[in-house]
């Protein structure tokens, strides 16, 4: 997947985010595990395992911290609505 940090008020506003934080999914391959589990272009990852995802480096740290888990709980925002997704390894 191709991602970027939420960096502008326009990105924050478009996603309906309360703060300028999160990681935007710019591209998700249709033959990837992310796609298989419901992740789509334009979604913003805001939480992983109940912890806030401020930026990509925090997302990487959380994925590393929880690498022992088979099933990661992720909250994304898309079209100003939160959605719960599970990423099963």
């Amino acid at each position: 997947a191709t991602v970027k940090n939420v960096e502008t008020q326009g990105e924050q506003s478009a996603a309906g985010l309360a703060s300028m934080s999160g990681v935007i999914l710019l591209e998700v391959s249709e033959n990837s595990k992310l796609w298989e589990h419901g992740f789509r272009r334009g979604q913003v990852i805001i939480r992983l395992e109940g912890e806030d995802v401020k930026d990509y480096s925090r997302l990487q740290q959380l994925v590393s911290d929880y690498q022992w888990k088979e099933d990661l709980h992720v909250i994304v925002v898309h079209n100003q609505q939160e959605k719960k997704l599970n990423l099963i390894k």
Side-chain angles (χ1 to χ4, degrees), residues 2-57:
T2 305
V3 300
K4 77 177 284 296
N5 294 331
V6 174
E7 298 174 323
T8 69
Q9 287 183 333
E11 291 168 344
Q12 176 187 348
S13 177
L17 301 171
S19 64
M20 203 177 309
S21 64
V23 176
I24 304 168
L25 295 171
L26 296 177
E27 185 180 321
V28 180
S29 173
E30 289 185 24
N31 60 355
S32 68
K33 275 201 174 267
L34 288 175
W35 181 273
E36 182 182 320
H37 294 289
F39 292 86
R40 299 294 185 265
R41 179 179 174 269
Q43 292 175 333
V44 181
I45 299 171
I46 61 166
R47 273 194 287 301
L48 186 130
E49 288 300 315
E51 298 194 45
D52 290 342
V53 173
K54 303 263 187 230
D55 55 28
Y56 183 64
S57 105

